[in-house]
Each structure stands twice: as C-alpha cells, then as structure tokens.
Amino acid sequence: MSGPALPPWRSVLAVVAHPDDESFGLGAVLSAFVEQGTAVRVLCLTRGEASTLHGVPGDLDAVRERELVDAAKEIGLVGVLLRSYPDGGLAAVALDALAAEAREAARAADADGIVAFDSTGVTGHQDHVRATEAALAAAAVLDLPVLGWTLPRTVADTLNVELGSSFAGHDDDAIDLVVPVDRTRQLRAVTCHASQAVPGSVLWRRLDLLAGREHLRWLTTPSAPAPSTERTGAPAPAATSKDWITP
C-alpha cells in the first residue's frame, strides 16, 4: 500500500450516478482535492428521481437538483453537470452514450484525472457500476488515470452483517491509497441532501467505521488504459458553459 497523498492534479472530474453520490460517497475525497488546490467538477448522470427515500416534500427531480447544487457549494466544487438519464436504469443505457458524456465533460474540464466509485459500485447499486464503466471508457479514449473510491473489506463486511446491506470491499493489498481526510465539508454537504440523509441511514454507520480515512484504488492509469468498446461511438454534444452549474 502506497502513501496517503492524492495525485497533484490541477483539475479532476468526478463521474457519479446520483445526486448525493458526490457527498455521501466521494465527499471527503473531493474536498481533500479542493483543499490541495485542485479544481473539481462533477458529472452526475441521473437526477435521482427514483429514490425510495423522501425526507422532504416536493418533486424529487427538482428537490435533488437543488440539493446537489447546495452540496457542491459546501464541498467547494467549480461546477456540476447534471444529466437526466433514468435513475435505476443506467445499465440499460448504451455505454457509448454515457461514456461520451464523461469524455466530453472531462475535455471541457481539462481534467488531469477522473474519480469514480470502485468498479464494484461499492454499494451494490448497478447505477454506480454503470457510471464507473462510463468513466473508464472515457478515460481509455483520453488516456486519463481513474481513481476508484472503495471500502476496506472489513468495513464492508461489518456493514453487511449489521445492516443487511450489499457493500463490496477490498483487502488491504488491493487498496492503493489510504488518505487521511477532514470530513467537515463532507458533513455539511451531506446535510444539504435532506431528502436522502434520513436518520438510520447506513451512511452514518459507514462514516463511523471509516473514521478519518478514505480508501482508493487505481482503476486505470495512462500507461495501462482500460479496455473500451466505446471508441467508435457517436460523440455526445459538447458540454457548453450554459450546461455547467456553478455553485
């Protein structure tokens, strides 16, 4: 296992499936990038409209967009690109289309690297798996490194036993970076997602178990890009300045 430092990227794109993934999952990692001076942007592929949690009144489509923008401000993101692919249905969306979205967003951000959930999806949600597949396919075309957020196997196993969840973790020898984090920004961002941060959520127990550390794996590096079937796919419309939401 290597040292705790994050890569010294000038700009990073995080690719996630749902509003709140940037906070509940990646929040401490993204804020650590922000604190070292990295310009961080997020591409979110769905609006989270199919969530079974509804901690505040209102149409989730609109509520969760507002929550995402507010959370992005707390983390210190430069911009957010919110798309409207079907929540809960990303696996049925052509990988070419999703990868093109990630590729164009990474180009627009002039990203030095991409951050995503681990290739397992971490939580068991297939949308998370698909979002990472899109990130990896885009990175293969652009020759960019991808860092995947993951959990130690001991933490995943504890959550699954205690709460009946479906987290996937890794043994220590499969984890590349163990990064000390300050969760102040992350916790402020989480509170912005009032529709999802309900009492009793598995989130709180996970944060207890992780304490002040986050765990990352290199999913691909420029010298060893991930295989892709996306290279010949039709390009997505380039992300313009009006598409990016500035928190």
Side-chain angles (χ1 to χ4, degrees), residues 2 6 12 25 35 43 46 53 56 130 149 186 194 243 246:
S2 62
L6 290 170
V12 64
E35 287 156 12
L43 166 64
T46 82
L53 298 176
V56 297
R130 194 61 160 176
W149 169 70
Q186 180 185 30
D243 294 318
T246 303

Side-chain angles (χ1 to χ4, degrees), residues 86-164:
D87 181 16
L90 282 185
V93 178
L95 181 58
D96 287 4
L98 299 176
E101 293 277 13
R103 186 179 67 241
E104 295 306 320
R107 283 176 171 157
D110 193 22
D112 297 317
I114 295 174
V115 177
F117 281 39
D118 185 46
S119 53
T120 64
V122 182
T123 68
H125 199 309
Q126 289 304 301
D127 280 0
H128 296 163
V129 174
R130 194 61 160 176
T132 297
E133 289 173 347
L136 287 169
V141 174
L142 300 175
D143 194 24
L144 289 176
V146 180
L147 269 177
W149 169 70
T150 192
L151 298 179
R153 189 178 302 280
T154 54
V155 170
D157 289 349
T158 298
L159 291 169
N160 294 341
V161 169
E162 291 183 356
L163 302 168

